[in-house]
């Protein structure tokens, strides 16, 4: 029995033999099996149970259970920020914004470095139109994590979408103080260009190329100027870039871009100069693209000689020809010397330097000597740094000092300029040479009597020195000039001077003299405010009298906005110091703002249609009285029409009222 049992355990089950092992003609994939199962709905999943809430008590119970679940999840693991976000979003779905804020604030206490948390928090406030809350969150975010660019982008985008251009610009400025990556600067520039602020964009580019001094950024700056047709500015940017990188950090991309810009401007000689300048200073290994573009340019616009000039061996002959044609062409000498210094022996270099410095400027003028002096400087630097010969360096410096005419020039006498005068006066002030300052100011004003700033500075100097009468005389002489560049600044300075001296009567006379020259509304308002601030007896009456006089004078003024400005200033005065009757009197003088139409003509004189504009009708103007009456009648007629239309639209209401 045991043997039979053991034999049964060892029995191997029979395996069905597959007669045909060839692959089936129709193959069925796993994807097909899943698709057929879905179509036949073999796996029917029951829908989740729906809970119907019928009263407020059940709703509160549901909220309590959900909140307990969320709080338990948070308690188990506070660092899982997704639990906090789900909790806050659930509260937001119930319009419990204050609770959602509380959850987000608790989450920020746990992990204030979590970017997603800040984003979700701010998006919730924006979604619920809580703009000030959103601003507060963005401000906290950029203050806490200023290097997260996403916060800055979303903050500026929100302000721009709200139409708060000034606010967006302020956020961008705060961002730029952190010197962010290049894309942030481009976003700021594009923002300003969207509002046609080309000058602001230029200012941003100026800061951008200094923070990120890369060649490609300078090229973008120049192309920005070229795109907006500021070709002179674009050329200046390229020149500044060349100067900025100097000979130590030269990059062929800059010179290729510069040359192509000049090529677009049809300045072919400039293009050649740029290519030659770059090829002389950049090694051949680093200038392959430069050489290629220069060759293409010469094939398009140059001749065979231009192509041959690229080769260094041909340039010496060219420079020889240039200096022979004009020995005083110091730029040609500089280029020639640079060439021979790069591949010639010391004796050859000295020979060329001696030939160059032998061409002394023919006349004693600074503009001619300015370039010539650098020949001596370069000669001395070559002997010191390249030839390593201190004795010859000393001889070169000594010879240059004996040759240059140091005592032949007097800058103020021969070349008077504002900058030169200012620098000289500043120097004498530091040395406390006040008599010399007076002399310089006299010469300065003889040279430019229309310069109001010089008159003011001169008078201020005398005031500081305590000579009040002399300062007053300078002001009197200044305002008597026939032509001044900023007369309003000069008069204001004179008036402020008299106010500081507590000369009330003189100040009053100055205002009267100024009003004889101009009837500008700001002068009248300033005069009235002066009388008010004098603090003397009757100042209110005098101030009111000036407003009345100004209003009477400006009745014939064509600029009605200025007259309105005067009346508004008067009304502000009466609101603070006047009686009820005084206020009513000014209110009666306020104009009526009306919308009018007028024809518009194109530049060629043709009719371009009509445009609407606002005009002001003052009650005091006798000629406008019919217009005011007509306007009042029109308003009355419009009101009657509206009442009539309302009665026609609701006749049943009229019947009910009549029956009652």
């Amino acid at each position: 029995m045991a043997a039979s049992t053991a034999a049964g355990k060892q029995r191997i089950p029979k395996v069905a033999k597959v007669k045909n092992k060839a692959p089936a003609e129709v193959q069925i994939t796993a994807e097909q099996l899943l698709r057929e199962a879905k179509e036949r709905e073999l796996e029917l999943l029951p829908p989740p149970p729906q809970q119907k809430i019928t009263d407020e008590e059940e709703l509160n119970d549901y909220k309590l259970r959900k909140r307990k679940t969320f709080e338990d999840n948070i308690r188990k693991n506070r660092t899982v920020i997704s639990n906090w976000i789900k909790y806050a979003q659930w509260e937001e779905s119930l319009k419990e914004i204050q609770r959602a804020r509380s959850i987000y604030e608790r989450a920020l206490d746990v992990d204030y470095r979590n970017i997603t948390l800040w984003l979700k928090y701010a998006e919730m406030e924006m979604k619920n139109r809580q703009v000030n809350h959103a601003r507060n969150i963005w401000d906290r975010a950029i203050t806490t994590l200023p290097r997260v660019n996403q916060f800055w982008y979303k903050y500026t985008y929100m302000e721009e979408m709200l139409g708060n251009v000034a606010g967006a610009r302020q956020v961008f400025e705060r961002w730029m103080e952190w010197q962010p990556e290049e894309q942030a600067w481009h976003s700021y520039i594009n923002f300003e260009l969207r509002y046609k602020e080309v000058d602001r964009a230029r200012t941003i580019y100026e800061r951008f190329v200094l923070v990120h001094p890369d060649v490609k950024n300078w090229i973008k700056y120049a192309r920005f100027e070229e795109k907006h047709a500021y070709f002179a500015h674009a050329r200046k940017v390229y020149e500044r870039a060349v100067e900025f990188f100097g000979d130590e950090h030269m990059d062929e991309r800059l010179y290729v871009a510069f040359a192509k810009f000049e090529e677009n401007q049809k300045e072919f000689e400039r293009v050649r100069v740029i290519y030659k300048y770059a090829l002389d200073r950049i090694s051949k290994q680093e200038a392959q693209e430069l050489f290629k573009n220069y060759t293409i340019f010469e094939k398009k616009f140059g001749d065979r000689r231009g192509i041959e000039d690229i080769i260094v061996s041909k340039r010496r002959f060219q420079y020889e020809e240039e200096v022979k044609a004009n020995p005083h062409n110091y730029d040609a000498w500089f280029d020639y010397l640079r060439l021979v210094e790069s591949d010639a022996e010391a004796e050859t270099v000295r020979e060329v330097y001696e030939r160059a410095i032998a061409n002394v400027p023919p006349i004693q003028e600074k503009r001619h000597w300015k370039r010539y002096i650098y020949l001596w400087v370069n000669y001395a630097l070559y002997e010191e740094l390249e030839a390593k010969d201190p004795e010859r360096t000393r001889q070169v410096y000594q010879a240059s000092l004996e040759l240059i005419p140091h005592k032949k020039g007097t800058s103020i006498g021969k070349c008077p300029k504002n900058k030169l005068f200012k620098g000289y006066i500043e120097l004498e002030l530091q040395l406390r040479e006040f008599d010399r300052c007076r002399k310089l100011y006299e010469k300065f004003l003889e040279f430019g009597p229309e310069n109001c700033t010089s008159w003011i500075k001169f008078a201020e100097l005398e005031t500081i020195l305590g000579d009040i009468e002399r300062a007053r005389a300078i002001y009197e002489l200044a305002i008597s000039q026939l032509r001044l560049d900023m007369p309003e600044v000069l008069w204001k300075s004179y008036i402020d001077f008299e106010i500081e001296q507590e000369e009330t009567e003189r100040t009053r006379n100055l205002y009267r003299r100024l009003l004889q020259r101009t009837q500008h509304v700001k002068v009248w308002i300033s005069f009235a405010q002066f009388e008010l601030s004098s603090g003397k007896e009757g100042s209110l009456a005098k101030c009111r009298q000036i407003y009345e006089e100004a209003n009477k004078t400006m009745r014939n003024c064509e600029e009605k906005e200025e007259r309105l400005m005067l009346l508004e200033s008067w009304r502000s005065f009466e609101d603070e110091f006047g009686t009820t009757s005084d206020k009513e009197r000014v209110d009666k003088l306020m104009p009526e703002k009306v919308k009018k139409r007028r024809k518009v003509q194109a530049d060629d004189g043709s009719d371009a249609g009509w445009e609407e504009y606002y005009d002001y009708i003052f009650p005091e103007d006798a000629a406008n009285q019919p217009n005011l009456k007509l306007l009042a009648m029109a308003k009355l007629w419009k009101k009657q029409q509206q009442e009539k239309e309302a009665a026609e639209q609701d006749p049943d209401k009229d019947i009910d009222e009549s029956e009652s």
Side-chain angles (χ1 to χ4, degrees):
M1 184 70 179
S4 63
T5 304
K9 288 182 179 180
Q10 293 178 357
R11 188 179 300 163
I12 299 173
K14 293 183 178 180
V15 179
K17 293 184 179 179
V18 179
K19 296 181 179 180
N20 187 6
K21 295 183 180 180
E25 296 180 359
V26 179
Q27 295 292 316
I28 300 175
T29 62
E31 181 183 357
Q32 186 174 354
L33 291 172
L34 292 172
R35 186 168 59 249
E36 289 179 359
K38 179 65 178 174
E39 290 174 354
R40 297 177 184 178
E41 294 184 350
L42 297 178
E43 297 180 4
L44 295 176
L45 296 175
Q50 293 184 353
Q51 181 179 1
K52 292 184 179 181
I53 299 173
T54 58
D55 56 14
E56 186 176 357
E57 184 177 355
E58 288 185 10
L59 177 62
N60 292 333
D61 182 63
Y62 166 72
K63 290 180 180 179
L64 182 63
R65 283 187 283 106
K66 287 290 288 186
R67 285 178 182 136
K68 186 177 184 301
T69 303
F70 282 119
E71 291 291 344
D72 290 342
N73 290 336
I74 290 169
R75 198 178 302 109
K76 289 175 184 176
N77 196 342
R78 291 171 56 83
T79 59
V80 179
I81 300 301
S82 60
N83 291 337
W84 293 94
I85 294 174
K86 290 176 183 178
Y87 190 4
Q89 289 176 341
W90 179 79
E91 293 288 0
E92 181 190 355
S93 66
L94 297 177
K95 304 301 180 183
E96 295 283 354
I97 305 301
Q98 195 61 38
R99 284 181 173 273
R101 286 195 191 109
S102 175
I103 294 163
Y104 277 121
E105 292 293 341
R106 289 166 58 197
L108 288 173
D109 289 340
V110 174
D111 186 5
Y112 69 91
R113 293 180 178 274
N114 192 290
I115 298 172
T116 306
L117 190 59
W118 287 103
L119 294 175
K120 294 292 184 182
Y121 192 1
E123 286 171 3
M124 180 198 74
E125 298 291 1
M126 291 190 294
K127 193 187 304 179
N128 291 279
R129 301 179 182 275
Q130 300 293 324
V131 177
N132 289 331
H133 281 284
R135 284 196 181 105
N136 178 268
I137 293 163
W138 289 129
D139 276 326
R140 290 166 57 195
I142 62 178
T143 304
T144 307
L145 302 171
R147 292 298 179 185
V148 180
N149 293 331
Q150 196 173 3
F151 293 160
W152 296 97
Y153 282 122
K154 286 186 174 290
Y155 194 1
T156 55
Y157 180 75
M158 182 192 78
E159 293 291 358
E160 189 176 359
M161 289 298 99
L162 291 172
N164 187 9
V165 178
R169 184 176 291 120
Q170 186 178 10
V171 176
F172 270 118
E173 285 295 334
R174 290 173 60 189
W175 192 5
M176 296 307 110
E177 291 176 2
W178 289 94
Q179 298 184 357
E181 61 186 15
E182 295 177 6
Q183 185 56 42
W185 291 89
H186 291 309
S187 298
Y188 191 8
I189 291 165
N190 293 333
F191 163 78
E192 294 293 359
L193 291 179
R194 282 197 293 274
Y195 298 96
K196 312 299 182 184
E197 293 288 348
V198 178
D199 290 335
R200 288 181 182 273
R202 181 180 294 115
T203 305
I204 298 165
Y205 260 120
E206 288 287 344
R207 296 157 57 193
F208 174 42
V209 295
L210 295 178
V211 174
H212 295 283
D214 197 356
V215 170
K216 64 179 181 180
N217 296 330
W218 283 93
I219 295 173
K220 287 179 181 178
Y221 184 11
R223 287 176 179 169
F224 155 80
E225 297 286 5
E226 183 181 1
K227 179 181 178 181
H228 292 86
Y230 292 101
F231 302 115
H233 288 186
R235 182 176 290 115
K236 188 69 177 176
V237 171
Y238 278 120
E239 291 171 355
R240 286 174 54 202
V242 171
E243 183 180 355
F244 179 84
F245 291 102
D247 293 344
E248 297 179 358
H249 304 283
M250 295 181 71
D251 192 311
E252 64 172 352
R253 293 176 296 168
L254 175 62
Y255 292 91
V256 169
F258 193 3
K260 287 184 177 179
F261 163 76
E262 295 292 358
E263 184 177 338
N264 294 334
Q265 305 306 313
K266 310 299 182 185
E267 295 286 348
F268 301 129
E269 288 302 318
R270 284 179 176 269
V271 177
R272 288 191 178 91
V273 171
I274 292 166
Y275 277 124
K276 291 176 182 177
Y277 179 87
L279 288 170
D280 287 346
R281 290 160 178 79
I282 301 177
S283 62
K284 188 175 181 181
Q285 293 77 11
E286 299 174 353
Q288 296 297 325
E289 192 68 19
L290 189 69
F291 188 87
K292 176 183 174 183
N293 281 276
Y294 187 19
T295 306
I296 294 172
F297 166 78
E298 288 293 352
K299 287 180 179 178
K300 288 168 63 178
F301 304 103
D303 51 11
R304 188 175 185 85
R305 179 185 174 186
I307 300 174
E308 292 175 352
D309 286 342
I310 303 173
I311 305 172
V312 176
S313 61
K314 299 291 183 180
R315 272 182 285 163
R316 182 174 298 178
F317 175 76
Q318 178 185 354
Y319 291 134
E320 284 286 351
E321 291 295 321
E322 289 182 12
V323 297
K324 284 180 182 177
N326 184 6
H328 295 98
N329 184 358
Y330 299 122
D331 289 331
W333 281 110
F334 285 128
D335 293 337
Y336 191 10
L337 287 163
R338 200 174 292 112
L339 173 66
V340 296
E341 282 183 21
S342 63
D343 60 354
E345 296 180 356
E347 290 302 320
T348 306
V349 176
R350 290 191 180 108
E351 179 187 353
V352 178
Y353 266 117
E354 293 293 337
R355 289 170 55 196
I357 61 177
N359 298 290
V360 181
I363 53 178
Q364 304 291 339
E365 285 188 13
K366 184 178 179 180
R367 61 189 181 90
H368 292 287
W369 284 82
K370 211 171 185 180
R371 301 293 288 165
Y372 174 74
I373 291 170
Y374 280 100
L375 286 173
W376 286 94
V377 174
N378 288 349
Y379 191 4
L381 290 173
Y382 171 78
E383 293 291 353
E384 180 183 4
L385 302 177
E386 301 294 334
K388 308 292 184 183
D389 194 335
E391 187 60 30
R392 288 189 65 90
T393 305
R394 196 172 291 111
Q395 292 175 4
V396 171
Y397 278 125
Q398 188 63 37
S400 66
L401 292 172
E402 292 174 358
L403 179 65
I404 297 170
H406 299 281
K407 299 181 180 179
K408 294 288 180 72
T410 52
S411 300
I412 293 289
K414 291 193 174 184
C415 185
K417 292 182 180 179
N418 289 348
K419 185 177 180 181
L420 196 59
F421 273 112
K422 291 177 182 177
Y424 199 177
I425 291 169
E426 184 66 25
L427 177 63
E428 296 294 351
L429 281 173
Q430 292 177 2
L431 297 173
R432 300 295 187 268
E433 294 288 344
F434 300 116
D435 289 332
R436 292 183 62 83
C437 288
R438 288 187 174 117
K439 288 288 184 184
L440 286 170
Y441 269 119
E442 291 171 4
K443 292 290 184 182
F444 194 3
L445 293 169
E446 287 177 10
F447 167 69
E450 74 283 352
N451 193 329
C452 291
T453 305
S454 303
W455 288 104
I456 294 170
K457 292 291 185 183
F458 193 6
E460 288 175 352
L461 173 64
E462 297 296 348
T463 305
I464 293 170
L465 296 175
D467 199 339
I468 304 302
E469 291 301 321
R470 189 180 178 91
R472 187 175 287 119
I474 291 168
Y475 275 119
E476 286 293 336
L477 186 60
I479 63 176
S480 65
Q481 300 298 315
L482 297 177
R483 189 166 63 90
L484 294 168
D485 56 357
M486 294 185 296
E488 67 280 359
V489 177
L490 180 63
W491 278 94
K492 185 179 183 303
S493 179
Y494 193 3
I495 291 169
D496 293 342
F497 164 77
E498 294 294 358
I499 292 173
E500 288 178 2
Q501 305 306 319
E502 298 181 357
E503 293 287 346
T504 306
E505 195 58 36
R506 286 181 181 273
T507 307
R508 193 176 288 119
N509 292 335
L510 271 178
Y511 272 113
R512 291 296 178 187
R513 289 167 62 187
L514 179 57
L515 287 170
Q516 291 175 2
R517 299 193 181 195
T518 177
Q519 294 291 327
H520 198 278
V521 65
K522 290 185 178 180
V523 179
W524 284 107
I525 294 174
S526 178
F527 192 7
Q529 291 174 349
F530 160 72
E531 291 291 357
L532 179 63
S533 62
S534 62
K536 296 185 178 180
E537 186 178 356
S539 59
L540 294 177
K542 288 181 180 179
C543 180
R544 187 176 290 110
Q545 182 182 353
I546 291 168
Y547 276 121
E548 291 173 355
E549 183 182 350
N551 184 45
K552 191 179 296 182
T553 304
M554 296 188 69
R555 285 180 182 175
N556 300 324
C557 178
E558 295 181 359
E559 296 294 331
K560 296 185 178 181
E561 287 82 4
E562 292 187 3
R563 189 175 174 188
L564 176 62
M565 189 188 304
L566 176 72
L567 289 173
E568 289 176 346
S569 177
W570 189 1
R571 184 167 61 181
S572 299
F573 162 76
E574 295 295 355
D575 288 343
E576 188 173 358
F577 303 101
T579 62
T580 305
S581 60
D582 293 329
K583 297 176 185 177
E584 291 175 355
R585 179 188 172 195
V586 178
D587 288 335
K588 290 178 181 179
L589 297 176
M590 297 302 290
E592 184 77 22
K593 186 177 180 181
V594 296
K595 185 185 290 186
K596 292 185 177 181
R597 298 177 66 201
R598 60 187 172 197
K599 280 190 174 182
V600 180
Q601 287 187 343
D603 296 336
D604 57 355
S606 61
D607 190 2
W610 295 80
E611 70 172 359
E612 291 184 350
Y613 71 100
Y614 288 99
D615 194 11
Y616 298 95
I617 300 176
F618 292 83
E620 286 183 304
D621 298 343
N624 289 333
Q625 289 295 339
N627 293 341
L628 284 175
K629 186 175 181 181
L630 181 62
L631 184 63
M633 292 174 64
K635 287 185 176 179
L636 181 60
W637 176 83
K638 185 177 181 181
K639 183 178 180 181
Q640 291 174 352
Q641 290 293 323
Q642 290 175 350
E643 292 176 355
K644 185 178 178 181
E645 290 175 2
E648 290 175 358
Q649 291 177 359
D650 197 1
D652 296 337
K653 184 178 180 181
D654 296 340
I655 294 171
D656 294 340
E657 290 177 355
S658 62
E659 289 177 355
S660 62

